[in-house]
Amino acid sequence: DQQVKQNSPSLSVQEGRISILNCDYTNSMFDYFLWYKKYPAEGPTFLISISSIKDKNEDGRFTVFLNKSAKHLSLHIVPSQPGDSAVYFCAASEEDSWGKLQFGAGTQVVVTP
Amino acid sequence: EPEVTQTPSHQVTQMGQEVILRCVPISNHLYFYWYRQILGQKVEFLVSFYNNEISEKSEIFDDQFSVERPDGSNFTLKIRSTKLEDSAMYFCASSVRDRPNYGYTFGSGTRLTVV
């Protein structure tokens, strides 16, 4: 059941540069999309969300872009910092079932000095 | 910053035994969830809980699983007769509203090892 796909298992980026994480989905009923960050031995931490009626949402260094026609979203982190090194999960949910998040497999981001 | 607290952080149990995983959600949150992540696999939804009853459950959440909010602060997940394949990291989450734009706050998880 691969409704949410993160095809890049890892990403290495230099400190100060932009990190771009990608996520694709197959379920056209998804109504909300979320990004989570996870450090080892911790639970996922909510970063940012976007409703399906929007195409962009920004919060500080984090911007999420949604392309509904392509069923694709991306997370931009600018500028990348060493503390951003973590696993990033894309998640999605349907209307009236918002708490039932479908997660992607995650992308390991490593920010190098 | 308020946290979701899970205990224990690691539990080892023998196959066939009952386990109870405990969670203390954030105090003003009304919606509660359990997720799990088997090693090397995706985070999977198990169950959502609101107003003292299950709102939704996944196919994984069969008769071996149950949830309870016994005392208004704790939220527990019980597995009646554990199997080897129940070995996973179990995450509790809570939310003030069942709306994604509020985010869902996750605990640090309980690593369950069934031997």
PDB file of all heavy atoms in Angstrom, chain B residues 72-93:
ATOM      1  N   GLY B  72      -8.459   9.537  32.863  1.00  0.00           N
ATOM      2  CA  GLY B  72      -8.509  10.927  32.424  1.00  0.00           C
ATOM      3  C   GLY B  72      -7.174  11.542  32.106  1.00  0.00           C
ATOM      4  O   GLY B  72      -7.132  12.677  31.612  1.00  0.00           O
ATOM      5  N   SER B  73      -6.082  10.837  32.396  1.00  0.00           N
ATOM      6  CA  SER B  73      -4.776  11.379  32.015  1.00  0.00           C
ATOM      7  C   SER B  73      -3.977  10.371  31.204  1.00  0.00           C
ATOM      8  O   SER B  73      -3.304  10.744  30.252  1.00  0.00           O
ATOM      9  CB  SER B  73      -3.978  11.818  33.240  1.00  0.00           C
ATOM     10  OG  SER B  73      -3.715  10.724  34.086  1.00  0.00           O
ATOM     11  N   ASN B  74      -4.054   9.086  31.549  1.00  0.00           N
ATOM     12  CA  ASN B  74      -3.308   8.084  30.808  1.00  0.00           C
ATOM     13  C   ASN B  74      -4.105   7.582  29.615  1.00  0.00           C
ATOM     14  O   ASN B  74      -5.344   7.586  29.616  1.00  0.00           O
ATOM     15  CB  ASN B  74      -2.983   6.896  31.720  1.00  0.00           C
ATOM     16  CG  ASN B  74      -1.967   7.260  32.778  1.00  0.00           C
ATOM     17  OD1 ASN B  74      -0.785   7.359  32.488  1.00  0.00           O
ATOM     18  ND2 ASN B  74      -2.429   7.479  34.000  1.00  0.00           N
ATOM     19  N   PHE B  75      -3.359   7.126  28.615  1.00  0.00           N
ATOM     20  CA  PHE B  75      -3.954   6.511  27.432  1.00  0.00           C
ATOM     21  C   PHE B  75      -3.125   5.270  27.162  1.00  0.00           C
ATOM     22  O   PHE B  75      -1.912   5.369  26.980  1.00  0.00           O
ATOM     23  CB  PHE B  75      -3.907   7.501  26.265  1.00  0.00           C
ATOM     24  CG  PHE B  75      -4.474   6.991  24.973  1.00  0.00           C
ATOM     25  CD1 PHE B  75      -5.728   6.412  24.903  1.00  0.00           C
ATOM     26  CD2 PHE B  75      -3.751   7.136  23.793  1.00  0.00           C
ATOM     27  CE1 PHE B  75      -6.249   5.958  23.701  1.00  0.00           C
ATOM     28  CE2 PHE B  75      -4.260   6.688  22.582  1.00  0.00           C
ATOM     29  CZ  PHE B  75      -5.504   6.094  22.546  1.00  0.00           C
ATOM     30  N   THR B  76      -3.761   4.091  27.190  1.00  0.00           N
ATOM     31  CA  THR B  76      -2.989   2.862  27.115  1.00  0.00           C
ATOM     32  C   THR B  76      -3.331   2.053  25.874  1.00  0.00           C
ATOM     33  O   THR B  76      -4.466   2.092  25.371  1.00  0.00           O
ATOM     34  CB  THR B  76      -3.223   1.989  28.360  1.00  0.00           C
ATOM     35  OG1 THR B  76      -4.601   1.629  28.417  1.00  0.00           O
ATOM     36  CG2 THR B  76      -2.827   2.713  29.638  1.00  0.00           C
ATOM     37  N   LEU B  77      -2.345   1.307  25.425  1.00  0.00           N
ATOM     38  CA  LEU B  77      -2.516   0.328  24.347  1.00  0.00           C
ATOM     39  C   LEU B  77      -2.185  -1.035  24.936  1.00  0.00           C
ATOM     40  O   LEU B  77      -1.090  -1.229  25.475  1.00  0.00           O
ATOM     41  CB  LEU B  77      -1.587   0.635  23.179  1.00  0.00           C
ATOM     42  CG  LEU B  77      -1.566  -0.397  22.039  1.00  0.00           C
ATOM     43  CD1 LEU B  77      -2.892  -0.398  21.280  1.00  0.00           C
ATOM     44  CD2 LEU B  77      -0.409  -0.109  21.069  1.00  0.00           C
ATOM     45  N   LYS B  78      -3.124  -1.959  24.840  1.00  0.00           N
ATOM     46  CA  LYS B  78      -2.913  -3.308  25.351  1.00  0.00           C
ATOM     47  C   LYS B  78      -2.855  -4.281  24.189  1.00  0.00           C
ATOM     48  O   LYS B  78      -3.697  -4.231  23.269  1.00  0.00           O
ATOM     49  CB  LYS B  78      -4.037  -3.723  26.299  1.00  0.00           C
ATOM     50  CG  LYS B  78      -3.820  -5.112  26.922  1.00  0.00           C
ATOM     51  CD  LYS B  78      -5.075  -5.657  27.580  1.00  0.00           C
ATOM     52  CE  LYS B  78      -5.468  -4.904  28.790  1.00  0.00           C
ATOM     53  NZ  LYS B  78      -6.609  -5.552  29.517  1.00  0.00           N
ATOM     54  N   ILE B  79      -1.864  -5.140  24.231  1.00  0.00           N
ATOM     55  CA  ILE B  79      -1.792  -6.252  23.290  1.00  0.00           C
ATOM     56  C   ILE B  79      -1.971  -7.517  24.109  1.00  0.00           C
ATOM     57  O   ILE B  79      -1.162  -7.797  25.009  1.00  0.00           O
ATOM     58  CB  ILE B  79      -0.455  -6.288  22.517  1.00  0.00           C
ATOM     59  CG1 ILE B  79      -0.148  -4.922  21.894  1.00  0.00           C
ATOM     60  CG2 ILE B  79      -0.530  -7.353  21.415  1.00  0.00           C
ATOM     61  CD1 ILE B  79       1.225  -4.841  21.232  1.00  0.00           C
ATOM     62  N   ARG B  80      -3.018  -8.264  23.848  1.00  0.00           N
ATOM     63  CA  ARG B  80      -3.403  -9.361  24.738  1.00  0.00           C
ATOM     64  C   ARG B  80      -2.430 -10.528  24.686  1.00  0.00           C
ATOM     65  O   ARG B  80      -2.039 -11.064  25.713  1.00  0.00           O
ATOM     66  CB  ARG B  80      -4.804  -9.859  24.376  1.00  0.00           C
ATOM     67  CG  ARG B  80      -5.880  -8.914  24.785  1.00  0.00           C
ATOM     68  CD  ARG B  80      -7.275  -9.498  24.622  1.00  0.00           C
ATOM     69  NE  ARG B  80      -8.276  -8.516  24.991  1.00  0.00           N
ATOM     70  CZ  ARG B  80      -8.680  -7.525  24.218  1.00  0.00           C
ATOM     71  NH1 ARG B  80      -8.192  -7.402  23.004  1.00  0.00           N
ATOM     72  NH2 ARG B  80      -9.583  -6.638  24.634  1.00  0.00           N
ATOM     73  N   SER B  81      -2.077 -10.954  23.531  1.00  0.00           N
ATOM     74  CA  SER B  81      -1.208 -12.118  23.376  1.00  0.00           C
ATOM     75  C   SER B  81      -0.194 -11.786  22.288  1.00  0.00           C
ATOM     76  O   SER B  81      -0.484 -11.909  21.088  1.00  0.00           O
ATOM     77  CB  SER B  81      -2.042 -13.350  22.992  1.00  0.00           C
ATOM     78  OG  SER B  81      -1.205 -14.482  22.786  1.00  0.00           O
ATOM     79  N   THR B  82       0.968 -11.342  22.721  1.00  0.00           N
ATOM     80  CA  THR B  82       1.931 -10.801  21.766  1.00  0.00           C
ATOM     81  C   THR B  82       2.496 -11.873  20.836  1.00  0.00           C
ATOM     82  O   THR B  82       2.666 -13.041  21.219  1.00  0.00           O
ATOM     83  CB  THR B  82       3.087 -10.109  22.500  1.00  0.00           C
ATOM     84  OG1 THR B  82       3.600 -11.000  23.500  1.00  0.00           O
ATOM     85  CG2 THR B  82       2.636  -8.818  23.141  1.00  0.00           C
ATOM     86  N   LYS B  83       2.772 -11.414  19.607  1.00  0.00           N
ATOM     87  CA  LYS B  83       3.395 -12.264  18.602  1.00  0.00           C
ATOM     88  C   LYS B  83       4.748 -11.655  18.248  1.00  0.00           C
ATOM     89  O   LYS B  83       4.994 -10.472  18.499  1.00  0.00           O
ATOM     90  CB  LYS B  83       2.530 -12.319  17.339  1.00  0.00           C
ATOM     91  CG  LYS B  83       1.105 -12.751  17.579  1.00  0.00           C
ATOM     92  CD  LYS B  83       0.264 -12.564  16.325  1.00  0.00           C
ATOM     93  CE  LYS B  83      -1.201 -12.686  16.674  1.00  0.00           C
ATOM     94  NZ  LYS B  83      -2.071 -12.168  15.608  1.00  0.00           N
ATOM     95  N   LEU B  84       5.585 -12.469  17.631  1.00  0.00           N
ATOM     96  CA  LEU B  84       6.899 -11.970  17.233  1.00  0.00           C
ATOM     97  C   LEU B  84       6.766 -10.739  16.335  1.00  0.00           C
ATOM     98  O   LEU B  84       7.549  -9.775  16.451  1.00  0.00           O
ATOM     99  CB  LEU B  84       7.691 -13.050  16.498  1.00  0.00           C
ATOM    100  CG  LEU B  84       8.100 -14.260  17.330  1.00  0.00           C
ATOM    101  CD1 LEU B  84       8.801 -15.290  16.448  1.00  0.00           C
ATOM    102  CD2 LEU B  84       8.997 -13.860  18.492  1.00  0.00           C
ATOM    103  N   GLU B  85       5.763 -10.746  15.464  1.00  0.00           N
ATOM    104  CA  GLU B  85       5.591  -9.653  14.504  1.00  0.00           C
ATOM    105  C   GLU B  85       5.036  -8.371  15.132  1.00  0.00           C
ATOM    106  O   GLU B  85       4.904  -7.356  14.438  1.00  0.00           O
ATOM    107  CB  GLU B  85       4.707 -10.092  13.322  1.00  0.00           C
ATOM    108  CG  GLU B  85       3.369 -10.667  13.714  1.00  0.00           C
ATOM    109  CD  GLU B  85       3.382 -12.197  13.782  1.00  0.00           C
ATOM    110  OE1 GLU B  85       4.405 -12.770  14.229  1.00  0.00           O
ATOM    111  OE2 GLU B  85       2.344 -12.797  13.426  1.00  0.00           O
ATOM    112  N   ASP B  86       4.722  -8.419  16.417  1.00  0.00           N
ATOM    113  CA  ASP B  86       4.326  -7.192  17.118  1.00  0.00           C
ATOM    114  C   ASP B  86       5.536  -6.370  17.549  1.00  0.00           C
ATOM    115  O   ASP B  86       5.383  -5.250  18.041  1.00  0.00           O
ATOM    116  CB  ASP B  86       3.482  -7.521  18.353  1.00  0.00           C
ATOM    117  CG  ASP B  86       2.136  -8.130  18.000  1.00  0.00           C
ATOM    118  OD1 ASP B  86       1.576  -7.760  16.944  1.00  0.00           O
ATOM    119  OD2 ASP B  86       1.653  -8.981  18.775  1.00  0.00           O
ATOM    120  N   SER B  87       6.712  -6.926  17.382  1.00  0.00           N
ATOM    121  CA  SER B  87       7.933  -6.187  17.721  1.00  0.00           C
ATOM    122  C   SER B  87       8.017  -4.942  16.845  1.00  0.00           C
ATOM    123  O   SER B  87       8.020  -5.031  15.608  1.00  0.00           O
ATOM    124  CB  SER B  87       9.166  -7.064  17.499  1.00  0.00           C
ATOM    125  OG  SER B  87       9.182  -8.140  18.396  1.00  0.00           O
ATOM    126  N   ALA B  88       8.068  -3.791  17.490  1.00  0.00           N
ATOM    127  CA  ALA B  88       8.043  -2.525  16.762  1.00  0.00           C
ATOM    128  C   ALA B  88       8.242  -1.394  17.756  1.00  0.00           C
ATOM    129  O   ALA B  88       8.225  -1.586  18.967  1.00  0.00           O
ATOM    130  CB  ALA B  88       6.708  -2.329  16.032  1.00  0.00           C
ATOM    131  N   MET B  89       8.399  -0.186  17.206  1.00  0.00           N
ATOM    132  CA  MET B  89       8.349   1.024  18.016  1.00  0.00           C
ATOM    133  C   MET B  89       6.908   1.504  17.978  1.00  0.00           C
ATOM    134  O   MET B  89       6.339   1.682  16.900  1.00  0.00           O
ATOM    135  CB  MET B  89       9.292   2.076  17.443  1.00  0.00           C
ATOM    136  CG  MET B  89       9.345   3.347  18.240  1.00  0.00           C
ATOM    137  SD  MET B  89      10.176   3.147  19.819  1.00  0.00           S
ATOM    138  CE  MET B  89      11.847   3.515  19.305  1.00  0.00           C
ATOM    139  N   TYR B  90       6.320   1.709  19.144  1.00  0.00           N
ATOM    140  CA  TYR B  90       4.945   2.170  19.231  1.00  0.00           C
ATOM    141  C   TYR B  90       4.942   3.633  19.685  1.00  0.00           C
ATOM    142  O   TYR B  90       5.518   3.981  20.717  1.00  0.00           O
ATOM    143  CB  TYR B  90       4.158   1.304  20.224  1.00  0.00           C
ATOM    144  CG  TYR B  90       3.858  -0.066  19.663  1.00  0.00           C
ATOM    145  CD1 TYR B  90       4.833  -1.068  19.690  1.00  0.00           C
ATOM    146  CD2 TYR B  90       2.630  -0.355  19.087  1.00  0.00           C
ATOM    147  CE1 TYR B  90       4.583  -2.322  19.154  1.00  0.00           C
ATOM    148  CE2 TYR B  90       2.364  -1.604  18.555  1.00  0.00           C
ATOM    149  CZ  TYR B  90       3.353  -2.584  18.581  1.00  0.00           C
ATOM    150  OH  TYR B  90       3.099  -3.826  18.041  1.00  0.00           O
ATOM    151  N   PHE B  91       4.281   4.454  18.888  1.00  0.00           N
ATOM    152  CA  PHE B  91       4.204   5.888  19.184  1.00  0.00           C
ATOM    153  C   PHE B  91       2.777   6.264  19.558  1.00  0.00           C
ATOM    154  O   PHE B  91       1.822   5.914  18.872  1.00  0.00           O
ATOM    155  CB  PHE B  91       4.608   6.716  17.965  1.00  0.00           C
ATOM    156  CG  PHE B  91       6.043   6.576  17.557  1.00  0.00           C
ATOM    157  CD1 PHE B  91       6.382   5.843  16.431  1.00  0.00           C
ATOM    158  CD2 PHE B  91       7.049   7.179  18.296  1.00  0.00           C
ATOM    159  CE1 PHE B  91       7.715   5.710  16.043  1.00  0.00           C
ATOM    160  CE2 PHE B  91       8.378   7.055  17.920  1.00  0.00           C
ATOM    161  CZ  PHE B  91       8.707   6.310  16.801  1.00  0.00           C
ATOM    162  N   CYS B  92       2.664   7.015  20.635  1.00  0.00           N
ATOM    163  CA  CYS B  92       1.413   7.634  21.016  1.00  0.00           C
ATOM    164  C   CYS B  92       1.438   9.072  20.500  1.00  0.00           C
ATOM    165  O   CYS B  92       2.508   9.697  20.444  1.00  0.00           O
ATOM    166  CB  CYS B  92       1.298   7.611  22.539  1.00  0.00           C
ATOM    167  SG  CYS B  92      -0.076   8.523  23.227  1.00  0.00           S
ATOM    168  N   ALA B  93       0.302   9.594  20.113  1.00  0.00           N
ATOM    169  CA  ALA B  93       0.212  10.986  19.675  1.00  0.00           C
ATOM    170  C   ALA B  93      -1.082  11.582  20.199  1.00  0.00           C
ATOM    171  O   ALA B  93      -2.044  10.866  20.498  1.00  0.00           O
ATOM    172  CB  ALA B  93       0.258  11.081  18.149  1.00  0.00           C
TER     173      ALA B  93
END
